Amino acid sequence: MTTMTVMPVSAPDLNAPDFERWLAGTEPEWFLEYLSPGPEARARHLMGRFAGALAWPTGRAFLCSEGDRVLGAIALERMAWDSAHFGIECGRIATCCIAQGLSVERRRALHAELLRDALRWADEQKIRLLQRRLLASRVDETQCLGEAGFRPADSMVTMLAPLAIVAPVCGPDPRLAFRAARADDLPALLAMTRGAFPHSRFVQDPILKVSRGDEVYQRWIENLLLNQHTDKTPAGTKEEVMVCALGGAVAGYAAYRTDRALDALLGRRLGMLDLIVVDKAHRGQGIGRALLDRVMEAMRKDGIGEVEATTWTDQREALALYRRAGLQEKETLLTYHLWMNG
């Protein structure tokens, strides 16, 4: 058996047609697999992940070969927003692509080889927290991550359904009023977002400060609300925040989006429900169910054909709500953290 060789590669190297064709036939890798994209769409998506990593000055990509055959490729990038927010250098394994048809032994050896280069990169860049999110089905890589010292940080499930079969989960409620969120709703939205996601990796990791982890989602909804319908929203992306008012007060909100570039890649319209949050004082009154129904109605009017929702596997209320509407679980995503240098 020939020796595996790992070499750093540049953006021009990755733009070669042979590499794109190779990507089209690699093992399932994290995102979009549950949507069954065609080989060309899949390759373009993965190419985007490599390009995104190499767009950063400190980003790196490595190819692992055996003779003339490419066996694997990995992309690494610094996480600028996370680094600034937590005050530590954060990085991630952006993608790790593995050739199909390898034996279990060779897959594990390949993952271990690529992971060694990822750790060397992280050490050179003085990364303090290295993150990897991957499909739960990638058992060999999960094992290698554990052997390298990575620890589970959170677990999420992605659910999907054609909008045609998504059923209303509640009837009309005359007490409730729905509208697009406004800038003056921000204080109420920030207050109800605080503590709403206890299963997130930002909160679950015992080394990160819980208060700073909790603020991640407050900053997210703040940026989303203030930037929606502005030129700061990526071209082709439509991001919406809908609020539910009860007695004139905002009692909950839902955030959802569409992406024309993704639709073009898949050849069909997809709506993505990011989250539903209900104020603690108003839980148990059907507000979450009513928000879900209204979002589904808005998506239908926009010509959406399928709806996707992602939540944490321990967020039982959200899982039950989505299941009741007819969404089915498609994939489980695991996030692992490695604290470098102690």
Side-chain angles (χ1 to χ4, degrees):
M1 182 181 294
T2 56
T3 304
M4 292 182 183
T5 303
V6 179
M7 296 289 292
V9 290
S10 64
D13 297 325
L14 298 179
N15 284 329
D18 286 349
F19 180 68
E20 187 168 347
R21 282 193 293 270
W22 177 81
L23 281 177
T26 53
E27 289 189 347
E29 160 60 4
W30 183 28
F31 186 56
L32 293 180
E33 305 292 352
Y34 61 94
L35 295 171
S36 303
E40 182 180 349
R42 190 172 184 277
R44 286 172 58 193
H45 171 74
L46 292 171
M47 285 287 287
R49 300 199 64 80
F50 278 95
L54 291 176
W56 294 96
T58 57
R60 294 292 182 271
F62 296 90
L63 289 184
C64 183
S65 303
E66 194 174 67
D68 294 332
R69 185 188 179 191
V70 176
L71 299 181
I74 193 169
L76 311 163
E77 64 185 356
R78 178 178 180 267
M79 303 173 74
W81 192 94
D82 298 58
S83 298
H85 181 77
F86 289 105
I88 57 173
E89 285 298 298
C90 300
R92 69 175 177 178
I93 300 173
T95 192
C96 182
C97 298
I98 302 296
Q100 293 189 22
L102 302 179
S103 67
V104 172
E105 181 182 359
R106 294 183 77 202
R107 280 202 309 270
R108 289 180 178 170
L110 177 57
H111 280 300
E113 194 71 37
L114 290 170
L115 192 54
R116 277 192 286 271
D117 279 271
L119 297 182
R120 279 194 288 268
W121 168 83
D123 188 58
E124 290 169 1
Q125 299 302 322
K126 296 182 169 38
I127 298 295
R128 183 77 174 90
L129 175 59
L130 184 62
Q131 176 237 307
R132 168 63 169 153
R133 176 168 285 177
L134 73 164
L135 290 165
S137 60
R138 294 181 65 127
V139 178
D140 300 318
E141 184 177 358
T142 300
Q143 179 178 336
C144 287
L145 290 171
E147 292 171 352
F150 283 79
R151 294 294 176 261
D154 72 14
S155 173
M156 303 189 76
V157 60
T158 299
M159 309 180 76
L160 186 74
L163 263 177
I165 71 165
V166 173
V169 291
C170 67
D173 188 335
R175 302 173 304 149
L176 306 179
F178 301 88
R179 58 172 173 79
R182 304 185 300 252
D184 59 0
D185 294 321
L186 184 57
L189 302 191
L190 291 177
M192 69 180 72
T193 302
R194 187 178 303 115
F197 305 106
H199 306 295
S200 161
R201 68 184 182 90
F202 299 114
V203 178
Q204 286 289 308
D205 191 307
I207 300 180
L208 291 174
K209 291 183 179 179
V210 173
S211 59
R212 295 297 286 165
D214 202 37
E215 286 174 10
V216 168
Y217 298 96
Q218 293 177 287
R219 299 289 75 77
W220 180 83
I221 191 60
E222 179 179 35
N223 292 334
L224 182 59
L225 181 59
L226 298 181
N227 293 337
Q228 66 176 341
H229 312 305
T230 71
D231 58 6
K232 292 184 179 180
T233 301
T237 301
K238 181 181 179 183
E239 299 178 332
E240 303 285 353
V241 182
M242 177 186 294
V243 301
C244 175
L246 176 63
V250 175
Y253 72 90
Y256 61 100
R257 60 194 161 90
T258 58
D259 184 339
R260 291 286 184 179
L262 178 57
D263 292 344
L265 199 63
L266 296 172
R268 59 191 190 271
R269 298 290 311 281
L270 177 70
M272 293 161 279
L273 175 59
D274 288 320
L275 51 84
I276 294 177
V277 178
V278 178
D279 184 69
K280 288 181 180 179
H282 296 97
R283 291 176 186 171
Q285 301 182 53
I287 290 169
R289 296 192 297 272
L291 276 166
L292 179 61
D293 284 349
R294 283 302 183 105
V295 169
M296 297 301 103
E297 180 182 337
M299 287 186 180
R300 287 189 185 95
K301 290 180 179 178
D302 198 26
I304 301 299
E306 289 178 291
V307 58
E308 167 205 285
T310 301
T311 190
W312 289 272
T313 52
D314 291 328
Q315 203 91 1
R316 295 186 179 87
E317 297 85 356
L319 284 172
L321 176 62
Y322 298 150
R323 287 170 181 154
R324 184 176 175 184
L327 278 74
Q328 296 183 344
E329 297 172 25
K330 291 296 182 179
E331 67 181 17
T332 300
L333 300 173
L334 306 177
T335 305
Y336 282 79
H337 282 180
L338 174 66
W339 287 92
M340 305 281 294
N341 305 315

